[in-house]
Amino acid sequence: MEAVPCGVTDLAAKPEEVSRLKSAHRVNIAEVAAAAGVSVGTVSRVLNESPNVREHTRRRVIEVIKRLNYRPSRLAESLSRGQTRTIVILVPFLTRPSVTARLAGAIGVLDTEGFDTVVRNVETARQRDRHLAALTSRHEADGAVVVSLRLNSEHLAALRNSSLPLAMVDTEAPGVPCTVVDDIRGGALATEHLIGLGHRRIGFVGDSPTDELGFISTRRRLLGYRRTLSRHRLDYDPAIVRLGRHSASVAATMALELLDLPSPPTAIFAGSDTQAHGVLAAAEKSGHSVPGDLSVIGYDDIESAAQLGLSTVHQPLAESGARGARRLCALIRGQLVRPLREELPLSVVVRRSSAMYAVAGVA
C-alpha cells in the first residue's frame, strides 16, 4: 500500500491550493505526490509506466499531474530510468571549420532525440586519453560520438568493457559503427580536376604526418594525388609537395616556397580549405593571379569556400555528424546498426579558383 505523507491528505480536495501551486512556480514531483496523497516513489512509478501501481492510484496521480500541469524534469526522469540523457562528443581542435560543421550536424540530431550534449575538445594525446578514461569510469553519459580521432586497441577494449554505446565519424575501428568518406578517392578527384584542366605540374600542400593524434586524412589524400598522377603517366615530384602544421598561415608560407621555385607549379591541391585559404593568400602576396597564373583546389567545402570562390572537394560535413548521431541513438535503443561502415559520397565543386591551363597563359 502506498504511504500517505503526514498532514497532506486533504490537499487534493482544495482547488485553491492547486491554483496557488500552478501560478506561483513550476510544480515539482513532491507537490504532485502531496496533492495525490501518495509517495514521491509512486508518482515516479506512474511516470515510468511501472506495472506495480494500483489502477485507481494511477488514475488519481495522472489526474493530479494534469490538473497541476506538472512537467517532469528531463534529468530527474532520465535518472529514474537509469539514464543520463547525455551524449559526449569527442572532437579534435574544436575551432576548425570542418569540425564545427560536423558537430552542428550531430548536436541537431541529439537535441531532437532529447539528449543533452557535452563536447570534449582534444588537442593532445593526453587530453584524448583523459577524456576517454572519464567516459569509461564515471558513467556520466549514455553514449559517445568520436569525431576524427583514431582509437587504439586499449581505448577500444576499455569502451567495450564499459558497455558504452559508441559511434565514430571521419574515423573507424573494428566492430564500431562509423560514418566516413574515402579520402583516397577525394584526393584523386581533386587531382583529376586539375589534370582535366590541362595542368601537368601540380603542387600539394597538406598536414605534416608527425602529429601525435595520428590523423591520416592528408596521407590518404596525398596517396590519391600520387595514384592519379601515375594513372596519367605524370611523374611525382616531391619538390612541389609541402607538409606542415595545419593552419592557413603555415600553408601560405609553404605555398610561397613553391611559387618561388625556378619551375613553380601551375596548380596547387590543398589538403583542406583552410590550407587553400593560405595558398590563395600566398598567390596574392607574390603577385600570382588566381586562376590566371595559378589554379587552386581545396578539400571540405566549408562555408567560406563559396565566399572566396574556391574550387574544392565537397564532403557532407554536417550530414556525417548527423548520421553518426543517428546511428548512436539507434544503438542506445538496442537496434542493430548496419552496415557498420557507412561511406558518404564526395564530389568536386568547381568555382573561379581553377581554370584551363591554356587560359592561365603559362608557357
Side-chain angles (χ1 to χ4, degrees), residues 286-305:
S286 63
H288 290 76
S289 67
V290 175
D293 300 322
L294 178 74
S295 285
V296 179
I297 187 168
Y299 198 109
D300 286 331
D301 199 18
I302 61 177
E303 185 175 355
S304 59

Side-chain angles (χ1 to χ4, degrees), residues 191 202-207 218-219 221-222 225 240-243 258 265 267-271:
T191 311
I202 302 168
F204 181 90
V205 170
D207 294 340
T218 284
R219 188 188 321 163
R221 293 167 196 177
L222 181 58
Y225 159 87
I240 55 174
V241 172
R242 292 289 187 277
L243 304 176
L258 294 179
I268 292 178
F269 168 27

Side-chain angles (χ1 to χ4, degrees), residues 139-156:
H139 307 292
E140 293 179 342
D142 294 321
V145 179
V146 173
V147 177
S148 303
L149 292 166
R150 298 182 72 191
L151 303 185
N152 62 34
S153 57
E154 292 181 2
H155 298 144
L156 293 168

Side-chain angles (χ1 to χ4, degrees), residues 340-361:
L340 281 178
R341 185 183 188 277
E342 177 184 47
E343 185 177 307
L344 301 184
L346 297 167
S347 60
V348 172
V349 178
V350 180
R351 299 190 179 104
R352 63 177 180 269
S353 69
S354 57
M356 292 293 295
Y357 176 80
V359 174

Side-chain angles (χ1 to χ4, degrees), residues 6-81:
C6 180
V8 296
T9 55
D10 62 340
L11 187 55
K14 298 180 179 180
E16 67 275 11
E17 289 297 320
V18 172
S19 177
R20 180 183 63 80
L21 286 172
K22 291 174 68 175
S23 61
H25 65 285
R26 178 172 175 170
V27 177
N28 61 45
I29 194 171
E31 291 165 336
V32 172
V38 299
S39 69
V40 169
T42 297
V43 176
S44 178
R45 286 192 289 274
V46 171
L47 290 170
N48 292 325
E49 301 179 357
S50 169
N52 299 321
V53 181
R54 294 175 181 175
E55 186 56 34
H56 72 277
T57 301
R58 185 188 308 280
R59 287 197 299 269
R60 184 165 78 248
V61 170
I62 291 174
E63 178 188 351
V64 171
I65 287 172
K66 291 179 179 178
R67 192 151 31 98
L68 295 182
N69 195 29
Y70 172 63
R71 294 292 181 269
S73 160
R74 182 165 50 173
L75 175 61
E77 183 183 13
S78 300
L79 289 174
S80 72
R81 295 175 184 266

Side-chain angles (χ1 to χ4, degrees), residues 165-184:
L166 173 68
M168 305 179 86
V169 176
D170 191 42
T171 186
E172 51 191 304
V176 178
C178 60
T179 302
V180 297
V181 297
D182 184 348
D183 279 314
I184 296 176

Side-chain angles (χ1 to χ4, degrees), residues 79-138:
L79 289 174
S80 72
R81 295 175 184 266
Q83 296 179 314
T84 66
R85 300 303 294 177
T86 298
I87 299 298
V88 170
I89 305 180
L90 265 64
V91 299
F93 301 101
L94 178 57
T95 57
R96 292 183 181 178
S98 60
V99 174
T100 58
R102 285 194 172 99
L103 191 56
I107 290 175
V109 169
L110 294 173
D111 184 63
T112 300
E113 293 280 348
F115 287 99
D116 293 319
T117 305
V118 176
V119 179
R120 305 291 189 196
N121 184 42
V122 173
E123 298 190 6
T124 66
R126 182 177 180 182
Q127 286 180 327
R128 176 201 60 201
D129 294 347
R130 176 163 54 84
H131 290 320
L132 287 170
L135 263 178
T136 56
S137 63
R138 297 178 188 171

